[in-house]
Each structure stands twice: as structure tokens, then as C-alpha cells.
Amino acid sequence: MTTWTPGWDAFPADLLEFWTERHLCSLTTVRPDGRPHVVPVGVALDHEQRCAWVITSRASHKARRIAAAPDGSPVAACQVDGARWSTLEGRALVHSDGDAVRRAEQCYAGRYRTPRPNPERVAIRIEVDRFLVSRALVG
């Protein structure tokens, strides 16, 4: 395992390809009692805004848990494909404004598919601190 701190202008090609391929991810948030809570999500990197996005409903536990931390909630998102895996770690904030939600939907559509309409949708923006990367992704 190795770690990589985002230098978004010098993103390693194999890591970028892996985070662009269609893979389901898991998102880990921390409950108030300190226990982790892991749920399946789609995560889309946004090189322009130098972050990662998750879309969800405002009533979801993950959105409510993250929104309860005004300075950002620590999160981790992981994806696995055989021996290849990568985890991104950072702080997340929930955004409900139309511009952020549209941006998150566009990024999601670029990696997965156009999301179904959801008037209760919010965007979770993750400010990525670092990536953990399997040896299979390190050239």
C-alpha cells in the first residue's frame, strides 16, 4: 500500500483511470458514538473543482450525519476491483444549492449514468486529503 496526496495537476495515470472506471464505492462516515457506518455509493472525482462528489437524498443518514458537522465530517470512500483498490480520505460537507447539486449530478453522470430525478437530492462534496492505493495501481 502507498499513499498519495493530491497534486491534481499531476494525477497518476493508473489512479486516474481507476477512479474514472465504473466501480461502485463504499462511503464510511463516523457515528456520534465513534463507530463507522459504511454504505454503497457512487463517487465521482471532479478535477476542475479538485474534489469528489456523492449524490444522495437529504433525508439519508449519511447526509444528515455529515450535515451535523458544520466544519466538515471525516469520511473515506473506497473501491475495489480484484487486487486493485483505492481509498480516498477527506472532509465532507453537504450542499443543497442548485449549482452544487447540478455539478455533482454531471460528474456522477460522467462516471456512471444520468441520475434519476430526485427533488430531495443533495450533493456531498469531499475535500480529498489523500488517496491510499494498492500496489497493483502503483506503476
Side-chain angles (χ1 to χ4, degrees):
M1 176 188 73
T2 188
T3 63
W4 180 74
T5 303
W8 292 90
D9 295 328
F11 214 92
D14 289 344
L15 184 59
L16 176 58
E17 182 178 341
F18 189 58
W19 278 96
T20 306
E21 297 168 356
R22 191 177 193 281
H23 296 288
L24 187 61
C25 300
S26 62
L27 179 70
T28 304
T29 57
V30 181
R31 292 182 176 109
D33 65 5
R35 291 180 302 143
H37 183 246
V38 183
V39 295
V41 296
V43 176
L45 293 184
D46 183 341
H47 282 269
E48 220 174 275
Q49 294 193 12
R50 298 177 178 219
C51 67
W53 293 102
V54 174
I55 57 175
T56 190
S57 178
R58 77 179 66 249
S60 71
H61 286 285
K62 62 186 159 290
R64 289 184 295 153
R65 188 172 299 113
I66 292 168
D71 295 330
S73 175
V75 297
C78 182
Q79 62 183 25
V80 178
D81 181 35
R84 300 181 315 151
W85 63 267
S86 177
T87 299
L88 64 81
E89 297 176 341
R91 298 197 78 69
L93 290 168
V94 174
H95 295 269
S96 58
D97 63 282
D99 289 341
V101 172
R102 278 188 296 282
R103 180 67 183 185
E105 289 172 334
Q106 290 168 349
C107 291
Y108 180 93
R111 185 172 191 196
Y112 299 100
R113 60 176 170 74
T114 302
R116 64 175 170 68
N118 179 356
E120 295 299 310
R121 179 167 291 134
V122 294
I124 297 172
R125 180 184 172 121
I126 303 170
E127 298 299 331
V128 181
D129 295 328
R130 70 178 183 160
F131 287 84
L132 304 174
V133 183
S134 66
R135 288 193 179 125
L137 284 173
V138 179

